[in-house]
Amino acid sequence: MSNEQHIVIIGAGIVGTNLADELVARGHNNITVIEQGPLTLPGGSTSHAPGLVFQANPSQSMMKFATYTRDKLEAMGCFNPVGGLEIATTETRLRDLRRRHGYVKSTGVEAFLLSAEQCLEKYPLLNADKVLGGLYVPTDGLALATKQVAALIQSTQAAGVVYREQTEVTSIAKEEGRITGVWLGEEFLAADIVVSCAGFWGVNVGEMVGVDIPLLPLAHQYAKTTKVAGLEGRNELPNGASLPILRYQDQDLYYREHGDRYGIGSYAHKPMPSPVNKLPKIAAADYTEENMPSSLEFTMEDFLPAWEASQEILPDLADTEIEHGFNGIFSFTSDGGSLVGQSPKVQGFYMAEAVWVTHSGGIARAVAELITEGRSSIDLGDSDVNRFEDVQLAPSFVDETSAQNFVEIYDVRHPLEPRLALRDLRVSPFHARQREQQAFFLEGGGWERPYWYESNAKYLKDLPEDWKEPLRDTWSAKFHSPIVAVEAWKTRTAVAMYDMTPLKRFEISGPGAAAMLHRLSTGNAKKSVGSVTYTLLLDEAGGIRSDITIARLEENTFQVGANGNIDLAYFTVEAEAQNSGKIPGGWVQVRDITGGTCCIGLWGPQARKVIEKLSDDDFSNEGLKYFRSTKAHIAGVPVSAWRLSYVGELGWEIYTTADNGQRLWDVLFEAGREFGIIPAGRAAFASLRLEKGYRSWGSDMNTEYNPYEAGLDFAIAKKKEEDFVGKAALAEIAKQPVTKKLRCLVLDSPNQVVLGKEPVYAGDDVVGYVTSAAFGFTVGRPIAYSYLPASYEFGDKVQIDYFGQRLSATVTQDPLYDPQMKRLRDIQDAPVAEKVSV
């Protein structure tokens, strides 16, 4: 990006000032930061944030953002490295802290599980009768947020950044879908890029350009006590701290010292939505620490249960009172993630919203990298603003789910734990039949997704002994059923129907469609009509943006199977650039067709016999070869059938329009009865795809990994002479030795299951973390995947940390199942039911 472009940042809190600093570090100084409050006290969440920096997080990206933030704070002298202590007062929490310990260790950050006695050594004020143990991270601590903001303002001003305080952005101007400037009342300020770092005011900023910023401002209680006997004499400064920051998550509480007083933060109260238009109007000149838009009046009646719990866990509080409290406003989202990135609707409009102090510096760097380099060095999949489906942008959805996220912020939640409210928002045309067959549904992207079918329980008695899964531990058994083994067995030995409807689908058409797909992907998108291509989307550095399938249905019409709305945003922006003539290739249209279509995956060795009963079209090996598609009719239903399989068995993805969906389900199911057909769910699907070694975007690969590391270099067309995104970077990467590779791990004991995100050890060293995991029913062993140093060879041993227990595993050649692809290609000597041993 040209350094001459003018960048306007809205908001001079800890995110906006960090962003200005990160842009200056990358050579930019034509920057204006607009702040509606005084620079000394902007009035947003930064002004009252307690400053706790805890690095533990289920998301690898968020942990990396936190670590970068704390390192930057420390380098600037704006960090107090007192450490962080999370305590357990229940067995459930104690067990969960072992899981969280794994999260931290997997990123290479030092962390320790402490006994009750060790917790008391670290924190003598705790009630010894309550604490069972804890998690201690020495590099956690306290951000001196306002001090950093002041320092950043000073340094960036010296570099040429202009700050406009007590100035309000009243509207944002755009022309032909691109930012042109901002209005400050009657004053117009030209701009090429606008970045919203406005915190909970971000919703209003988004409205100015017609962009949804799906967050909910919620009040969060924070109180300061009178003097605490146990803290007197510990800290020299009035706001100083020497004890670790403390989280008491069993009661939704956290604590920090303010000299000889305690600060207590509570999530134990009811959600208190605080829409921006209902916040008090305060003139910027009247801002004080006790009087600002983000600080509402304290409601003691809501705090009383938290106060009682605090006095119990910290007995010294019994002789104190609440000296001061407020209900501070923070931004919450429906999934707890931040909102980062550029809008596909308005070029030049970026955002960094719902960002906690903990991640502020890291996310600011990511946005600066997006603006200057087109990519973030840390993957943004968990925080990309484009990750939400349209149904998840509805204000009613955002409000209810964000409020629920507030309630559950410290809860021990299973990775599959379903949301109870706002269900049945999106259902496939097969939903009525799935309910009849007693499907167990979990939700994703607003869709109801069957994970298994209780109707298949009747086959448990027929399940061969060597297909049965060992008993699971309590945690891994949650949201799981022995029926999953039946569904895997039937897929491998008979035939099963999978509902693939929720998978994202686009129609990309027009005379420029082939050129665009060819330019953006690593594969050959210009193959003949009827071809299906598995390929990758890369960023300019060769990182994996997504993996997709491209079917050429007609000369200028393609159907793309993608991973979600992030892909849709990318294609939309690229199509607009091509249509405007900025990129050659010709006119192209991108349409999301997911909701108007549906898909059944019909897979298994008996699949062709089912189809042959219903169709006169040629579904033979020669008539429809592997990775080809065709238009056909199945019992009169017009379909598009693709010869491919994510479970590693003969079969097809069969697409039709939503109005024909239920009829397609019914005719396939009825025709398949004599061949033992069953419906099967996503749990079996996940197991079978891991046996086949298929990668899943978002877990096994993202922008931080390249195709050679992920084992996907086969998806790079060897004879593709034309340029494509990432090609130059791949050429350089190919010259260097691969330092890490995604490896298949088979656990040595069949009785031990992991779920994902656990650290992988070699001796005392963490060498990776689990990206995907499932029990492999065909191989009779638990399977996990992890990036490991490239020096690891097949047969090497590692250990996976599962709730503090080291489980032995072996690095194994993948795919574990059908490595010669005989089953998929229906080669005649492929066994009917191939049981594999490892």
Side-chain angles (χ1 to χ4, degrees):
M1 190 192 81
S2 169
N3 291 2
E4 297 179 359
Q5 286 190 299
H6 184 206
I7 301 172
V8 169
I9 299 170
I10 303 175
I14 199 165
V15 181
T17 52
N18 261 291
L19 175 57
D21 177 67
E22 295 288 340
L23 287 167
V24 166
R26 287 159 178 78
H28 291 272
N29 56 15
N30 191 9
I31 302 167
T32 302
V33 183
I34 310 295
E35 173 52 54
Q36 66 180 354
L39 290 180
T40 54
L41 197 67
S45 300
T46 303
S47 302
H48 62 71
L52 279 65
V53 177
F54 278 98
Q55 294 166 87
N57 195 293
S59 165
Q60 286 277 320
S61 295
M62 299 310 283
M63 282 192 286
K64 292 173 185 176
F65 289 141
T67 299
Y68 179 84
T69 299
R70 66 87 56 212
D71 289 348
K72 184 174 181 178
L73 284 161
E74 188 167 52
M76 294 180 65
C78 300
F79 189 72
N80 185 355
V82 293
L85 177 63
E86 301 178 38
I87 57 169
T89 59
T90 65
E91 289 293 339
T92 298
R93 181 69 59 183
L94 186 63
R95 181 172 167 81
D96 191 60
L97 291 185
R98 297 190 188 108
R99 181 173 64 133
R100 292 176 63 78
H101 176 255
Y103 292 159
V104 182
K105 294 291 288 183
S106 69
T107 60
V109 174
E110 193 175 35
F112 301 93
L113 288 168
L114 303 185
S115 66
E117 293 75 16
Q118 290 171 319
C119 289
L120 292 168
E121 290 174 9
K122 290 286 182 189
Y123 214 105
L125 279 70
L126 287 168
N127 184 340
D129 296 330
K130 293 282 293 182
V131 179
L132 301 179
L135 171 63
Y136 178 63
V137 181
T139 53
D140 286 347
L142 288 165
L144 310 180
T146 54
K147 180 181 177 181
Q148 188 194 38
V149 168
L152 290 170
I153 290 173
Q154 184 178 14
S155 64
T156 53
Q157 281 179 325
V161 175
V162 175
Y163 284 82
R164 299 280 299 271
E165 64 179 329
Q166 300 186 42
T167 303
E168 186 176 354
V169 175
T170 53
S171 65
I172 300 175
K174 58 180 180 176
E175 289 182 10
E176 297 181 353
R178 176 168 287 279
I179 290 291
T180 58
V182 297
W183 285 95
L184 312 173
E186 298 297 317
E187 177 189 358
F188 180 72
L189 184 64
D192 304 287
I193 289 173
V194 171
V195 189
S196 179
C197 303
F200 52 82
W201 284 290
V203 176
N204 289 0
V205 175
E207 288 176 352
M208 295 179 189
V209 286
V211 172
D212 292 312
I213 298 185
L215 63 82
L216 176 67
L218 285 160
H220 159 59
Q221 292 200 301
Y222 193 78
K224 292 183 181 179
T225 69
T226 54
K227 290 183 179 181
V228 180
L231 296 181
E232 290 191 68
R234 291 189 62 92
N235 303 301
E236 295 180 5
L237 299 175
N239 205 37
S242 56
L243 287 169
I245 50 177
L246 179 68
R247 283 209 273 199
Y248 180 20
Q249 291 154 304
D250 286 321
Q251 292 293 335
D252 299 314
L253 293 165
Y254 64 83
Y255 306 89
R256 61 152 294 176
E257 297 163 273
H258 292 280
D260 55 10
R261 290 161 166 78
Y262 261 118
I264 306 172
S266 172
Y267 294 101
H269 54 84
K270 66 181 183 294
M272 301 177 187
S274 304
V276 173
N277 58 4
K278 295 184 179 179
L279 293 179
K281 299 291 184 181
I282 302 172
D286 296 331
Y287 280 17
T288 67
E289 288 189 8
E290 290 78 28
N291 185 43
M292 64 178 75
S294 61
S295 181
L296 305 182
E297 184 178 352
F298 189 62
T299 49
M300 188 64 192
E301 63 274 16
D302 293 307
F303 192 72
L304 280 175
W307 181 230
E308 292 171 359
S310 296
Q311 291 173 313
E312 187 175 13
I313 197 68
L314 297 168
D316 281 23
L317 291 178
D319 298 325
T320 68
E321 298 177 351
I322 300 301
E323 185 174 66
H324 168 69
F326 61 93
N327 291 354
I329 310 300
F330 289 100
S331 301
F332 281 77
T333 61
S334 57
D335 62 2
S338 298
L339 305 172
V340 182
Q342 181 176 201
S343 166
K345 296 180 179 179
V346 184
Q347 292 300 290
F349 181 71
Y350 292 79
M351 65 203 78
E353 302 289 15
V355 180
W356 299 71
V357 168
T358 301
H359 309 110
S360 54
I363 285 182
R365 180 181 66 165
V367 176
E369 289 173 335
L370 282 178
I371 292 171
T372 58
E373 303 163 34
R375 73 182 296 270
S376 166
S377 56
I378 295 176
D379 182 70
L380 290 173
D382 291 340
S383 52
D384 193 312
V385 70
N386 300 304
R387 67 189 181 272
F388 298 108
E389 296 287 324
D390 286 347
V391 70
Q392 297 171 305
L393 298 175
S396 57
F397 184 94
V398 173
D399 290 355
E400 183 159 346
T401 54
S402 298
Q404 188 63 27
N405 184 47
F406 176 94
V407 171
E408 297 172 348
I409 191 167
Y410 282 166
D411 287 0
V412 177
R413 292 182 60 79
H414 192 277
L416 292 177
E417 190 157 339
R419 189 177 63 247
L420 299 179
L422 294 175
R423 295 294 297 271
D424 291 335
L425 295 179
R426 307 176 81 186
V427 298
S428 79
F430 320 130
H431 188 70
R433 297 295 183 258
Q434 291 165 348
R435 291 180 67 89
E436 290 170 3
Q437 291 165 322
Q438 299 172 277
F440 178 85
F441 293 98
L442 294 176
E443 178 269 342
W447 287 98
E448 295 297 319
R449 304 175 187 230
Y451 268 64
W452 66 83
Y453 292 82
E454 291 292 334
S455 61
N456 291 326
K458 59 181 175 287
Y459 299 112
L460 281 168
K461 67 182 187 317
D462 303 320
L463 186 65
E465 197 63 34
D466 58 355
W467 281 87
K468 292 180 180 177
E469 181 183 18
L471 288 176
R472 290 181 171 226
D473 67 279
T474 304
W475 184 254
S476 64
K478 291 186 74 172
F479 310 108
H480 181 75
S481 169
I483 296 170
V484 177
V486 166
E487 296 177 1
W489 170 58
K490 283 283 193 176
T491 306
R492 291 277 189 244
T493 61
V495 60
M497 295 166 56
Y498 290 82
D499 182 359
M500 307 297 288
T501 302
L503 300 185
K504 202 71 171 173
R505 293 179 293 285
F506 313 140
E507 181 186 87
I508 297 182
S509 60
M516 186 180 83
L517 289 168
H518 204 62
R519 171 174 60 85
L520 298 182
S521 70
T522 62
N524 179 10
K526 296 182 177 180
K527 293 177 183 177
S528 62
V529 172
S531 66
V532 180
T533 304
Y534 174 81
T535 184
L536 304 175
L537 304 177
L538 305 180
D539 61 24
E540 292 290 357
I544 301 173
R545 181 189 292 272
S546 188
D547 67 331
I548 62 173
T549 52
I550 301 172
R552 191 167 198 170
L553 305 181
E554 298 173 358
E555 186 66 23
N556 291 327
T557 302
F558 297 79
Q559 183 173 314
V560 173
N563 283 300
N565 262 24
I566 297 175
D567 291 342
L568 178 61
Y570 179 56
F571 280 123
T572 299
V573 169
E574 292 295 331
E576 288 177 357
Q578 195 164 303
N579 290 341
S580 68
K582 294 176 182 176
I583 297 176
W587 181 85
V588 60
Q589 180 185 51
V590 178
R591 286 199 310 130
D592 182 355
I593 61 171
T594 312
T597 56
C598 57
C599 178
I600 292 174
L602 183 74
W603 294 309
Q606 303 296 313
R608 182 173 285 121
K609 293 180 180 178
V610 177
I611 288 286
E612 288 173 344
K613 287 182 64 176
L614 299 170
S615 180
D616 293 328
D617 293 290
D618 190 354
F619 280 83
S620 68
N621 259 343
E622 288 302 314
L624 184 56
K625 294 181 179 179
Y626 184 55
F627 261 81
R628 298 289 296 179
S629 69
T630 188
K631 292 183 179 180
H633 286 84
I634 296 175
V637 178
V639 302
S640 174
W642 301 12
R643 174 84 184 279
L644 67 159
S645 165
Y646 208 48
V647 300
E649 295 294 335
L650 167 69
W652 305 268
E653 291 181 1
I654 304 172
Y655 296 91
T656 191
T657 52
D659 57 321
N660 282 308
Q662 185 167 295
R663 182 159 62 112
L664 178 63
W665 180 282
D666 288 345
V667 296
L668 287 172
F669 195 79
E670 186 60 35
R673 286 184 187 276
E674 67 176 288
F675 306 109
I677 198 168
I678 64 164
R682 290 194 65 81
F685 181 87
S687 169
L688 299 173
R689 73 100 178 164
L690 281 181
E691 292 182 332
K692 194 67 184 121
Y694 291 144
R695 280 57 167 148
S696 176
W697 185 86
S699 53
D700 300 317
M701 53 181 157
N702 58 39
T703 55
E704 294 181 35
Y705 300 104
N706 65 57
Y708 302 104
E709 295 168 331
L712 294 173
D713 46 308
F714 68 86
I716 304 169
K718 299 298 185 288
K719 298 181 180 180
K720 186 172 181 178
E721 296 181 357
E722 300 93 334
D723 193 20
F724 60 87
V725 175
K727 182 178 182 179
L730 284 187
E732 292 303 312
I733 292 169
K735 297 175 184 177
Q736 307 299 322
V738 177
T739 59
K740 57 189 173 186
K741 289 185 177 181
L742 186 63
R743 293 298 197 194
C744 177
L745 308 178
V746 175
L747 275 74
D748 294 341
S749 170
N751 300 313
Q752 299 168 328
V753 177
V754 298
L755 299 181
K757 301 189 177 181
E758 298 89 356
V760 179
Y761 283 83
D764 294 329
D765 298 325
V766 175
V767 293
Y769 71 95
V770 174
T771 59
S772 289
F775 188 87
F777 298 98
T778 317
V779 302
R781 290 284 184 82
I783 305 168
Y785 275 77
S786 174
Y787 284 92
L788 297 177
S791 58
Y792 277 70
E793 298 180 354
F794 303 128
D796 286 348
K797 297 290 185 180
V798 294
Q799 302 82 42
I800 300 173
D801 186 305
Y802 183 68
F803 288 92
Q805 181 183 4
R806 297 287 179 87
L807 310 181
S808 178
T810 302
V811 181
T812 307
Q813 176 80 57
D814 70 326
L816 298 173
Y817 181 74
D818 189 25
Q820 277 108 31
M821 306 283 282
K822 292 182 178 181
R823 307 277 288 184
L824 280 169
R825 298 179 185 277
D826 198 23
I827 296 172
Q828 292 305 307
D829 64 348
V832 174
E834 185 178 16
K835 182 69 181 177
V836 179
S837 61
V838 293

